[in-house]
Amino acid sequence: MTIIVTGGAGFIGGNFVLDWIATTGEPVVNLDKLTYAGNLETLKSLEGDSRHTFVEGDICDRALVDSLLATHRPRAIVHFAAESHVDRSIHGPGEFVRTNVEGTFTLLEAARAYWNGLEGQAKADFRFHHVSTDEVYGSLGPNDPPFTETNTYEPNSPYSASKAASDHLVRAWHHTYGLPVTTSNCSNNYGPYHFPEKLIPLMIANALAGKPLPIYGDGQQIRDWLYVTDHCSAIRTILAKGKVGEVYNVGGWNEKPNIDIVKTIIALLDELKPSAEGSYARLITYVTDRPGHDRRYAIDARKIERELGWKPAETFETGIRKTVQWYLDNQDWVQNVLSGAYRDWVAKNYAGREAV
Ligand code: NAD
Ligand code: DAU
């Protein structure tokens, strides 16, 4: 038995591959293009492990995907590969449409051809799991109930629009062709191996470097945080027990305004790695807001809890402490990531954001 994972050198995919091999022992073929967000350092502990086969390649490459399916005969595809950063999608949406829409289409077509060629139990057991986001549902008002699986789609950024399009393709390939798919829409993840362009790792990295902590707008935007290994266990649960054609919302019941997240990180760093210059709070800097910034996301995770028995293991307090400690203990991983390309991105994204 083998599964194919796409995007397994990224943040969540990398955590998933490590977690999957540690918990199930089942081999993984990991297809990843190694964009700026892909990092083989994350998978270093699997070097020489025959259960992990890494393939550098593009999910838009149909011939490559066909040959991987023919060679490895997987029982499932778990699809993480995507362009994932909202700010980058505002600066350059083209790559988001290519990878997230065309890439998902290519995978679905290859999976459909492969699945049509399977027989008996192998055909009945095959699954295509699509990893998506709560951002497809749009933005909530302060008193709206959290997103359920039947919420209307109202994507607001080029990123969320491209993910919404990919969700629709997955749904249609099941409805029209019978492809055995499941989809999960998850809230904001955090934890080890998170690329330091996203809020939590960026704040940790900037604080340790004595750089400003850029808070977009008023800092009162709300996200619902989930520790990454809880997302991995949710996907494992869906693969094992999820119903074909169903969507599962995954979240940690941890709604927090951004400024509170930053203050929590500051308190932990003040405790674990105090600065000679005083509290890291001195670095908080309010900057120009993200265009079209969604105000609030929140996930109603009761369906996966009720139907599949999944629950997150970490609270925000335990997860954020582990995360800050991981970054303190793994500064070499962070330094490897802070390449020339990363510095170019920081210059581009923050240059136009005056302190306000
Ligand atoms: P990431 O940006 O850290 O990693 C994406 C990975 O995909 C990278 O390794 C990259 O090299 C690879 N990739 C990109 N384009 C590719 C292509 N054309 N072919 C093959 N590989 C390609 O992303 P992430 O944060 O780990 O997110 C993984 C998935 O989870 C995405 O689908 C994202 O939409 C979804 N998601 C993320 C979050 C979150 O908080 N990070 C929350 C909900 C859902
Ligand atoms: O909700 C799930 C989504 O969460 C995923 O689908 C995306 O792939 C993932 O990137 C994440 O999107 P966000 O836009 O919510 O994450 P980000 O870390 O970029 O920003 C979190 C919040 O923090 C958001 O309100 C913007 C704000 N922010 C972000 C950065 C990078 C700041 O205030 N300052 C910053 O420098």
Side-chain angles (χ1 to χ4, degrees):
M1 304 267 256
T2 297
I3 64 166
I4 290 187
V5 165
T6 70
F11 164 47
I12 306 174
N15 275 283
F16 180 83
V17 169
L18 294 171
D19 180 86
W20 179 265
I21 290 178
T23 53
T24 71
E26 187 176 352
V28 172
V29 176
N30 181 354
L31 171 61
D32 194 296
K33 190 180 169 187
L34 295 182
T35 67
Y36 79 93
N39 186 356
L40 286 178
E41 281 281 308
T42 301
L43 302 164
K44 218 173 169 179
S45 62
L46 293 175
E47 259 170 28
D49 190 324
S50 60
R51 295 170 299 180
H52 180 236
T53 304
F54 183 77
V55 179
E56 184 173 348
D58 193 327
I59 57 168
C60 297
D61 181 345
R62 175 69 191 268
L64 173 63
V65 177
D66 282 344
S67 91
L68 290 178
L69 289 168
T71 306
H72 298 282
R73 317 290 303 161
R75 69 175 181 93
I77 296 173
V78 186
H79 175 33
F80 294 94
E83 288 293 335
S84 71
H85 190 190
V86 175
D87 290 319
R88 285 187 190 253
S89 81
I90 295 166
H91 286 282
E95 208 50 34
F96 286 72
V97 173
R98 205 186 76 85
T99 285
N100 301 359
V101 185
E102 191 189 326
T104 301
F105 163 74
T106 306
L107 283 178
L108 285 166
E109 279 294 81
R112 180 163 77 93
Y114 169 71
W115 176 71
N116 276 332
L118 295 176
E119 285 175 356
Q121 203 55 44
K123 186 163 191 172
D125 289 347
F126 181 77
R127 292 289 181 278
F128 183 103
H129 182 71
H130 176 58
V131 180
S132 192
T133 169
D134 58 1
E135 299 201 13
V136 297
Y137 300 124
S139 185
L140 291 167
N143 300 315
D144 290 338
F147 301 125
T148 67
E149 291 79 0
T150 55
N151 250 90
T152 50
Y153 270 44
E154 292 177 0
N156 290 321
S157 70
Y159 162 69
S160 54
S162 68
K163 290 298 288 188
S166 70
D167 292 10
H168 292 323
L169 292 177
V170 171
R171 176 189 157 89
W173 260 240
H174 171 64
H175 194 80
T176 303
Y177 303 114
L179 188 71
V181 306
T182 47
T183 294
S184 49
N185 291 83
C186 188
S187 60
N188 286 61
N189 285 218
Y190 69 104
Y193 306 112
H194 203 179
F195 193 78
E197 65 179 358
K198 307 278 176 76
L199 180 74
I200 288 179
L202 180 96
M203 293 298 159
I204 299 171
N206 278 18
L208 292 175
K211 292 184 180 161
L213 307 180
I215 315 287
Y216 295 170
D218 63 3
Q220 293 301 329
Q221 302 83 7
I222 292 174
R223 299 291 182 265
D224 180 354
W225 294 92
L226 181 73
Y227 194 66
V228 64
T229 51
D230 282 327
H231 189 184
C232 297
S233 75
I235 295 171
R236 262 193 282 120
T237 305
I238 295 167
L239 279 174
K241 300 195 246 174
K243 210 168 138 210
V244 165
E246 291 290 314
V247 172
Y248 298 94
N249 279 1
V250 182
W253 303 103
N254 283 312
E255 282 188 63
K256 311 259 181 219
N258 293 337
I259 188 65
D260 290 10
I261 298 289
V262 174
K263 286 182 176 166
T264 303
I265 292 168
I266 287 170
L268 283 164
L269 286 174
D270 283 343
E271 174 197 329
L272 298 169
K273 184 93 180 161
S275 158
E277 290 161 66
S279 172
Y280 295 99
R282 71 184 189 281
L283 300 171
I284 288 179
T285 309
Y286 286 87
V287 299
T288 313
D289 208 351
R290 171 186 280 175
H293 200 169
D294 283 341
R295 195 70 182 162
R296 173 178 167 234
Y297 305 138
I299 279 280
D300 181 337
R302 281 178 297 179
K303 178 177 172 183
I304 186 171
E305 293 176 1
R306 188 178 61 244
E307 295 185 8
L308 307 185
W310 173 85
K311 267 201 188 311
E314 301 290 343
T315 63
F316 187 71
E317 289 64 34
T318 59
I320 193 70
R321 182 172 280 276
K322 281 187 185 176
T323 303
V324 170
Q325 190 64 59
W326 186 88
Y327 278 90
L328 289 173
D329 295 343
N330 290 277
Q331 277 298 300
D332 49 344
W333 182 91
V334 179
Q335 291 316 318
N336 278 333
V337 167
L338 303 183
S339 64
Y342 175 80
R343 284 195 294 273
D344 292 347
W345 160 251
V346 169
K348 190 177 190 183
N349 191 43
Y350 294 96
R353 291 182 197 277
E354 303 310 327
V356 288

